[in-house]
Amino acid sequence: LLGWLLFFVGWADLFQAPALIALLGAGCLALVTLRGNAAPKGDSPMPFRALDWTLLAVLAAALAMEIPEGLSPVADGDSLAYHFELAKVFLRDGHITFVPRAVDGAVPMLVQMTYVPPLALGGEMALTLWAMFSSWAVALAQYFFARRYLARHWALTVVLMWVTTPAVLYGGGSGQVEVRIAGFVLLAVLCLIRLRETGLGRFAAAAGVAAGLFVGAKYTGLFFGAAGLMALVCERHRLRLILIYGGFAAVAGFQWYF
């Protein structure tokens, strides 16, 4: 959502600190409007067992290994040449700027938009820490997804496998967008599962938003969005659900294509 909103801020030539602070402040205030029970379905009040604590300790150690990456200067070539560099260019110009360069000059950049505020307000260290924490948020989402269907220790095991995957260790604290895109995929898949279980249109809308954010973050999101449409073909009231899903996906992902 932050990246989606920042597109309009950049389009309006307002990539300056006051506008960014106002947007972030409004977002923090809007958090109080969130309501509902966030506990996973089937969660039990049973106390943590020794195995759970052991897995948590190993998970904490694995996450601690990423802290030096979050505190250190940018090192990988893709972030230096493109992901973080574009945020720096946009901030310097005060608005979104077209980069006349082959391959990556005209691509959807929803995730890169989120790099602008930390770079503007906190410098390079704030930027790398944001990259680290946003990748941790994907792991947290993965836990709640897994916890719906698995016991606590198995859900923690799934998250531990995720955070220790070499691609996540390498890309989680960098500017590369794939780890953060995984969060969109998780949300879309969970909503499609809930749609299958309940038949409620609101889950088609939420899945469409998640798929649209992927579309707005990378061209390959178009394939994922189409796959979601194929999943809806098998549902009752398929036409209504496809229209809901497609409409919300278009709103969430249209900006860079427009």
Side-chain angles (χ1 to χ4, degrees):
L1 181 60
L2 178 62
W4 193 88
L5 292 171
L6 281 167
F7 173 89
F8 298 103
V9 178
W11 199 10
D13 202 19
L14 290 173
F15 271 163
Q16 290 93 31
L20 297 174
I21 292 172
L23 178 61
L24 295 175
C28 291
L29 292 175
L31 290 175
V32 302
T33 66
L34 295 178
R35 293 291 184 271
N37 182 11
K41 182 180 179 181
D43 201 8
S44 66
M46 293 179 59
F48 278 73
R49 299 178 299 172
L51 179 59
D52 298 328
W53 286 115
T54 301
L55 288 168
L56 276 174
V58 176
L59 182 59
L63 292 176
M65 292 173 60
E66 297 184 14
I67 293 177
E69 183 181 20
L71 295 173
S72 62
V74 183
D76 72 290
D78 283 354
S79 297
L80 286 167
Y82 172 53
H83 298 290
F84 289 160
E85 175 63 19
L86 284 178
K88 183 178 180 181
V89 170
F90 296 160
L91 189 60
R92 181 194 65 202
D93 295 342
H95 57 263
I96 296 171
T97 302
F98 173 69
V99 180
R101 187 168 62 203
V103 182
D104 59 7
V107 296
M109 289 183 282
L110 181 140
V111 173
Q112 284 88 347
M113 288 291 95
T114 70
Y115 299 159
V116 174
L119 183 61
L121 303 176
E124 183 178 333
M125 182 175 292
L127 177 60
T128 54
L129 285 172
W130 162 249
M132 180 188 73
F133 283 123
S134 60
S135 70
W136 288 9
V138 177
L140 185 63
Q142 191 173 47
Y143 171 78
F144 281 104
F145 188 178
R147 190 66 183 88
R148 282 184 166 272
Y149 306 100
L150 300 173
R152 184 188 288 127
H153 62 280
W154 281 116
L156 290 170
T157 301
V158 168
V159 176
L160 182 59
M161 292 171 62
W162 164 257
V163 300
T164 55
T165 301
V168 176
L169 287 171
Y170 172 74
S174 73
Q176 300 187 44
V177 301
E178 284 75 15
V179 172
R180 278 151 283 279
I181 285 175
F184 304 150
V185 174
L186 279 171
L187 178 58
V189 171
L190 178 59
C191 291
L192 288 172
I193 291 173
R194 295 291 291 136
L195 174 62
R196 171 66 60 88
E197 293 171 347
T198 66
L200 296 175
R202 66 171 180 259
F203 290 112
V209 170
L213 294 177
F214 187 177
V215 169
K218 198 166 185 176
Y219 280 132
T220 50
L222 293 168
F223 296 106
F224 181 77
L229 287 175
M230 294 299 100
L232 294 176
V233 169
C234 304
E235 299 295 323
R236 294 180 58 192
H237 310 296
R238 61 181 65 88
L239 180 58
R240 179 177 69 90
L241 295 176
I242 286 174
L243 289 175
I244 294 173
Y245 171 90
F248 277 88
V251 170
F254 81 96
Q255 297 159 308
W256 296 96
Y257 301 85
F258 172 75

